[in-house]
Amino acid sequence: HVQLVESGGGSVQAGGSLRLSCAAPLHLYSSYSMAWFRQAPGKEHEGVASIDGDGHTSVAHAVNERFTISRDNAKNTLYLQMNSLKPEDTAMYYCAAGSFYTDYQHPSDFSVWGQGTQVTVS
C-alpha cells in the first residue's frame, strides 16, 4: 500500500514556481532519508534532491540554484520548492524514503515510493 503521498504538481509557465509536498507516516519520516526523483517521458529516472536522517541536504547540480528541499517535522512532510521552472523540468516527480544515511545519487537505497505528481512547464 502507498505510504508516501505527493501533491502540489500542476501546469505552470516557464519562470514560474511550484512547491511539491510529500506526506509520510512518522515511522518513515523520522527514520529514513527522504528524496525527490523525477522521470520525463522517454528519459531515465533522475535524482533531484534528498535530505538524510540528520537533516543534511543534497541537490542535483542541474537544479541546485532553483530547487530547495526541506521538511516540516511537525507535519511529517517533505517539500520541494521549485523556482524559475524550465520546460525541461517537465516530469513526473516522485517522493521516496530510503536508508538513514543516503542521498538521491543512490536510488537503490530508496525502498518506499509514492505514486508521483506531474509537473508540466510550458
Side-chain angles (χ1 to χ4, degrees), residues 66-97:
R66 301 183 293 119
F67 291 10
T68 302
I69 188 170
S70 63
R71 63 188 184 189
D72 185 332
N73 293 337
K75 297 181 179 179
N76 297 346
T77 300
L78 179 75
Y79 299 103
L80 184 69
Q81 178 67 44
M82 305 186 296
N83 299 325
S84 302
L85 283 161
K86 304 175 180 180
E88 52 263 43
D89 295 318
T90 295
M92 185 71 80
Y93 283 72
Y94 298 90
C95 171

Side-chain angles (χ1 to χ4, degrees), residues 5-78:
V5 181
E6 302 98 334
S7 61
S11 296
V12 64
Q13 291 189 337
S17 298
L18 285 173
R19 188 176 78 159
L20 306 184
S21 300
C22 173
L26 180 61
H27 75 279
L28 285 180
Y29 182 85
S30 61
S31 304
Y32 286 70
S33 294
M34 303 286 293
W36 291 98
F37 295 85
R38 67 185 182 184
Q39 187 166 25
K43 293 191 176 181
E44 294 288 324
H45 206 242
E46 177 185 19
V48 177
S50 56
I51 184 165
D52 71 16
D54 281 342
H56 299 120
T57 61
S58 300
V59 183
H61 177 73
V63 300
N64 67 359
E65 295 185 358
R66 301 183 293 119
F67 291 10
T68 302
I69 188 170
S70 63
R71 63 188 184 189
D72 185 332
N73 293 337
K75 297 181 179 179
N76 297 346
T77 300
L78 179 75

